[in-house]
Each structure stands twice: as C-alpha cells, then as structure tokens.
Amino acid sequence: MTVTVETGQWQLDATASTVGIRHRTMWGLVTVKGAFGAVGGTGEVRPDGTAVGTLTFDVTSLDTGNAKRDTHLGSEHFFDAGHHPEITFAARSAELRDGDQVHIDGQLTVRGISRPLSLTARVTDQDAAGLTLSTEFTVDREQFGMGWNQLGMIRGLTTVAATLRFTRAAA
C-alpha cells in the first residue's frame, strides 16, 4: 500500500474507532478484556509529513462486561476517575516509515502521571475520506500508580489494542 497523507487538520472518527485493553488476572488464568466507549482526538499533519495530535479516553466509559468490575476499575485503586476522568496520549511526533508503518513518540497520561511512550502503528486502510491506523502495545500499570493487587492476582503488563479512523477536519 502506498500511503500519502494530506497536510492539515484531522479528527478521530469515534464511531469507527476502537480502543481496547486486555490483562491477565487470577494468577494468569483469566484474561479480562474491555473497551473504551468514549474516545476522541485531533491531529495535524505538518508540511514536512510528520504529525502531532492528542487522543483522549473517558475512563468511565471502560466496559469489561461486568458492572461491578468496571466500578472498581474507576475507583481510586485503579483509574481514579473521580480525580482523573480521562486518559490522554499526546503524540509529539508521528512519522511514516517503511511504507505503511508509522513510528510514534508521545506521552501517555493516566491518573495524572505522564510517561513517555513510543509505538509503531500500521496504516490499514486509506481512501478519499480518511485513513485508519492500527496498533498494539503494552503498558505497565504500576508506572501509573495502579499497584492494587489483592492476593497477587494481577501481574504483568496490560495490552492496549487500538484501531483509529481519522478523517479530514472540516475547514
């Protein structure tokens, strides 16, 4: 696929985008999966072809299929949604490399704690209306103050999988 991206403003199409997480719990025997129902974002492709932008995820929109667990995830033990209602990823630099690969350097902020994050995304679809990026990466939740671990049930990294559809912003 030959990828060319127009300069200018872009916006996330929340209805065509998904951001999910999965984490092994119960000593690695069970994988909990969830998705954020409310995501947003904007970006700008600069004349030199690089891009910058911001994605936001409403913490209270995380749905794991279990209301009690979702409430616990929003509590101070995990996301602390009362004080930190959004997760943000600020892309400081995104650069198309090797055909359809996009190298992204940015900053992930969870619970008010920011950490650098570099990842690779792939352009999986491009047409006149916009483009779609897909990525999967891992995050250590303890780096963001989420160390709650009753009986040692929760270990390891959380995997984040995202499919993000961007369209040209209205002028």
Side-chain angles (χ1 to χ4, degrees):
M1 171 189 315
T2 301
V3 178
T4 57
V5 182
E6 290 183 42
T7 60
Q9 299 297 316
W10 290 77
Q11 62 190 23
L12 183 72
D13 179 349
T15 62
S17 299
T18 58
V19 177
I21 61 170
R22 64 182 186 274
H23 192 98
R24 296 186 64 84
T25 64
M26 304 293 288
W27 306 280
L29 300 174
V30 175
T31 299
V32 172
K33 297 177 184 178
F36 292 95
V39 297
T42 59
E44 177 186 7
V45 176
R46 298 172 173 165
D48 67 359
T50 63
V52 295
T54 302
L55 297 173
T56 59
F57 316 108
D58 179 340
V59 169
T60 62
S61 75
L62 179 60
D63 182 1
T64 65
N66 180 308
K68 186 175 180 180
R69 177 174 47 225
D70 294 345
T71 298
H72 189 217
L73 289 172
S75 77
E76 66 280 355
H77 291 141
F78 289 95
F79 291 112
D80 195 10
H83 294 102
H84 306 285
E86 288 185 335
I87 295 171
T88 60
F89 177 72
R92 305 284 188 233
S93 172
E95 183 178 331
L96 189 62
R97 298 181 183 168
D98 302 321
D100 64 354
Q101 303 294 309
V102 181
H103 178 76
I104 303 168
D105 287 318
Q107 184 169 303
L108 180 64
T109 302
V110 180
R111 291 178 54 106
I113 300 169
S114 298
R115 300 279 185 248
L117 178 65
S118 294
L119 57 99
T120 300
R122 195 170 133 250
V123 178
T124 58
D125 183 42
Q126 182 181 24
D127 55 32
L131 63 87
T132 303
L133 295 174
S134 292
T135 188
E136 186 171 294
F137 57 92
T138 57
V139 177
D140 181 350
R141 66 186 181 86
E142 291 186 21
Q143 288 186 338
F144 297 95
M146 291 186 278
W148 187 88
N149 190 5
Q150 187 176 32
L151 302 175
M153 290 190 300
I154 305 171
R155 292 195 178 116
L157 302 175
T158 299
T159 300
V160 178
T163 300
L164 305 168
R165 177 73 178 168
F166 290 93
T167 58
R168 296 278 293 162

CSV table of all heavy atoms in Angstrom, one decimal, residues 130-151:
chain,number,residue,atom,x,y,z
A,130,GLY,N,-10.4,9.3,4.5
A,130,GLY,CA,-9.5,9.3,5.6
A,130,GLY,C,-8.6,8.1,5.6
A,130,GLY,O,-8.4,7.5,4.6
A,131,LEU,N,-8.1,7.8,6.8
A,131,LEU,CA,-7.2,6.7,7.0
A,131,LEU,C,-7.4,6.0,8.3
A,131,LEU,O,-7.9,6.7,9.3
A,131,LEU,CB,-5.7,7.1,6.8
A,131,LEU,CG,-5.1,8.1,7.7
A,131,LEU,CD1,-4.5,7.4,8.9
A,131,LEU,CD2,-4.0,8.8,7.0
A,132,THR,N,-7.0,4.8,8.4
A,132,THR,CA,-7.1,4.0,9.6
A,132,THR,C,-5.8,3.5,10.1
A,132,THR,O,-5.0,3.0,9.3
A,132,THR,CB,-8.1,2.8,9.4
A,132,THR,OG1,-9.4,3.3,9.0
A,132,THR,CG2,-8.3,2.0,10.7
A,133,LEU,N,-5.5,3.7,11.4
A,133,LEU,CA,-4.2,3.2,12.0
A,133,LEU,C,-4.6,2.1,13.0
A,133,LEU,O,-5.6,2.2,13.7
A,133,LEU,CB,-3.5,4.3,12.8
A,133,LEU,CG,-3.0,5.5,12.0
A,133,LEU,CD1,-2.5,6.6,13.0
A,133,LEU,CD2,-1.9,5.1,11.0
A,134,SER,N,-3.8,1.1,13.0
A,134,SER,CA,-3.9,0.0,14.0
A,134,SER,C,-2.6,-0.2,14.7
A,134,SER,O,-1.5,-0.1,14.1
A,134,SER,CB,-4.3,-1.3,13.3
A,134,SER,OG,-5.6,-1.2,12.8
A,135,THR,N,-2.7,-0.4,16.0
A,135,THR,CA,-1.6,-0.6,16.9
A,135,THR,C,-1.9,-1.5,18.0
A,135,THR,O,-3.1,-1.6,18.4
A,135,THR,CB,-1.0,0.7,17.4
A,135,THR,OG1,0.3,0.5,18.0
A,135,THR,CG2,-1.9,1.4,18.3
A,136,GLU,N,-0.9,-2.1,18.6
A,136,GLU,CA,-1.0,-2.9,19.8
A,136,GLU,C,0.3,-2.7,20.6
A,136,GLU,O,1.4,-2.8,20.0
A,136,GLU,CB,-1.3,-4.4,19.5
A,136,GLU,CG,-1.5,-5.2,20.7
A,136,GLU,CD,-2.0,-6.6,20.4
A,136,GLU,OE1,-3.1,-6.7,19.9
A,136,GLU,OE2,-1.3,-7.5,20.8
A,137,PHE,N,0.2,-2.4,21.9
A,137,PHE,CA,1.4,-2.2,22.7
A,137,PHE,C,1.0,-2.6,24.1
A,137,PHE,O,-0.1,-2.8,24.5
A,137,PHE,CB,1.9,-0.8,22.6
A,137,PHE,CG,0.9,0.3,23.0
A,137,PHE,CD1,0.8,0.7,24.3
A,137,PHE,CD2,0.0,0.8,22.0
A,137,PHE,CE1,-0.2,1.7,24.6
A,137,PHE,CE2,-1.0,1.7,22.3
A,137,PHE,CZ,-1.0,2.2,23.6
A,138,THR,N,2.0,-2.6,25.0
A,138,THR,CA,1.8,-3.0,26.4
A,138,THR,C,2.2,-1.8,27.3
A,138,THR,O,3.0,-1.0,26.9
A,138,THR,CB,2.6,-4.2,26.8
A,138,THR,OG1,4.0,-4.0,26.6
A,138,THR,CG2,2.1,-5.5,26.1
A,139,VAL,N,1.5,-1.8,28.4
A,139,VAL,CA,1.7,-0.7,29.4
A,139,VAL,C,1.9,-1.4,30.8
A,139,VAL,O,1.1,-2.3,31.1
A,139,VAL,CB,0.6,0.3,29.4
A,139,VAL,CG1,0.7,1.3,30.5
A,139,VAL,CG2,0.4,0.9,28.1
A,140,ASP,N,2.8,-0.9,31.6
A,140,ASP,CA,2.9,-1.4,33.0
A,140,ASP,C,2.1,-0.5,33.9
A,140,ASP,O,2.4,0.7,34.1
A,140,ASP,CB,4.4,-1.3,33.4
A,140,ASP,CG,4.6,-1.8,34.8
A,140,ASP,OD1,3.7,-2.0,35.6
A,140,ASP,OD2,5.8,-2.0,35.2
A,141,ARG,N,1.0,-1.0,34.3
A,141,ARG,CA,0.0,-0.1,35.1
A,141,ARG,C,0.6,0.4,36.4
A,141,ARG,O,0.2,1.5,36.8
A,141,ARG,CB,-1.3,-0.9,35.4
A,141,ARG,CG,-1.1,-2.1,36.3
A,141,ARG,CD,-2.4,-2.9,36.4
A,141,ARG,NE,-2.1,-4.0,37.3
A,141,ARG,CZ,-2.3,-3.9,38.7
A,141,ARG,NH1,-2.7,-2.8,39.2
A,141,ARG,NH2,-2.0,-5.0,39.4
A,142,GLU,N,1.6,-0.3,36.9
A,142,GLU,CA,2.2,0.2,38.2
A,142,GLU,C,3.0,1.5,37.9
A,142,GLU,O,3.1,2.3,38.9
A,142,GLU,CB,3.1,-0.9,38.7
A,142,GLU,CG,2.3,-2.0,39.3
A,142,GLU,CD,3.2,-3.1,40.0
A,142,GLU,OE1,4.3,-2.7,40.5
A,142,GLU,OE2,2.7,-4.2,40.2
A,143,GLN,N,3.4,1.8,36.7
A,143,GLN,CA,4.1,3.1,36.4
A,143,GLN,C,3.1,4.2,36.5
A,143,GLN,O,3.6,5.4,36.6
A,143,GLN,CB,4.7,3.0,35.0
A,143,GLN,CG,5.9,2.2,34.9
A,143,GLN,CD,6.5,2.3,33.5
A,143,GLN,OE1,5.9,2.7,32.5
A,143,GLN,NE2,7.8,2.0,33.4
A,144,PHE,N,1.8,3.9,36.6
A,144,PHE,CA,0.8,5.0,36.6
A,144,PHE,C,0.1,4.9,38.0
A,144,PHE,O,-1.0,5.4,38.1
A,144,PHE,CB,-0.1,4.8,35.5
A,144,PHE,CG,0.5,5.0,34.1
A,144,PHE,CD1,1.0,3.9,33.4
A,144,PHE,CD2,0.7,6.3,33.6
A,144,PHE,CE1,1.6,4.1,32.2
A,144,PHE,CE2,1.4,6.5,32.4
A,144,PHE,CZ,1.8,5.4,31.7
A,145,GLY,N,0.7,4.4,39.0
A,145,GLY,CA,0.1,4.4,40.3
A,145,GLY,C,-1.0,3.4,40.5
A,145,GLY,O,-1.8,3.5,41.4
A,146,MET,N,-1.1,2.4,39.7
A,146,MET,CA,-2.1,1.4,39.8
A,146,MET,C,-1.5,0.1,40.3
A,146,MET,O,-1.4,-0.9,39.6
A,146,MET,CB,-2.9,1.2,38.5
A,146,MET,CG,-3.7,2.4,38.1
A,146,MET,SD,-4.7,2.1,36.6
A,146,MET,CE,-3.5,2.4,35.3
A,147,GLY,N,-1.1,0.1,41.5
A,147,GLY,CA,-0.4,-1.1,42.1
A,147,GLY,C,-1.3,-2.0,42.8
A,147,GLY,O,-0.9,-3.1,43.3
A,148,TRP,N,-2.6,-1.7,42.9
A,148,TRP,CA,-3.5,-2.6,43.7
A,148,TRP,C,-3.5,-4.0,43.1
A,148,TRP,O,-3.6,-4.2,41.9
A,148,TRP,CB,-5.0,-2.0,43.6
A,148,TRP,CG,-5.9,-2.8,44.5
A,148,TRP,CD1,-6.2,-2.5,45.8
A,148,TRP,CD2,-6.8,-3.9,44.1
A,148,TRP,NE1,-7.2,-3.4,46.3
A,148,TRP,CE2,-7.5,-4.2,45.3
A,148,TRP,CE3,-6.9,-4.6,43.0
A,148,TRP,CZ2,-8.4,-5.3,45.3
A,148,TRP,CZ3,-7.8,-5.7,43.0
A,148,TRP,CH2,-8.6,-6.0,44.1
A,149,ASN,N,-3.3,-5.0,44.0
A,149,ASN,CA,-3.1,-6.3,43.6
A,149,ASN,C,-3.5,-7.3,44.7
A,149,ASN,O,-2.6,-7.9,45.3
A,149,ASN,CB,-1.6,-6.5,43.1
A,149,ASN,CG,-1.4,-7.8,42.4
A,149,ASN,OD1,-2.3,-8.6,42.2
A,149,ASN,ND2,-0.2,-8.1,42.1
A,150,GLN,N,-4.8,-7.4,44.9
A,150,GLN,CA,-5.3,-8.3,46.0
A,150,GLN,C,-4.8,-9.7,45.8
A,150,GLN,O,-5.0,-10.3,44.8
A,150,GLN,CB,-6.8,-8.2,46.1
A,150,GLN,CG,-7.3,-8.9,47.3
A,150,GLN,CD,-8.8,-8.7,47.4
A,150,GLN,OE1,-9.5,-8.6,46.4
A,150,GLN,NE2,-9.3,-8.7,48.7
A,151,LEU,N,-4.2,-10.3,46.8
A,151,LEU,CA,-3.7,-11.7,46.8
A,151,LEU,C,-2.8,-12.0,45.6
A,151,LEU,O,-2.6,-13.1,45.2
A,151,LEU,CB,-4.9,-12.6,46.8
A,151,LEU,CG,-5.9,-12.5,47.9
A,151,LEU,CD1,-7.1,-13.4,47.7
A,151,LEU,CD2,-5.3,-12.8,49.2
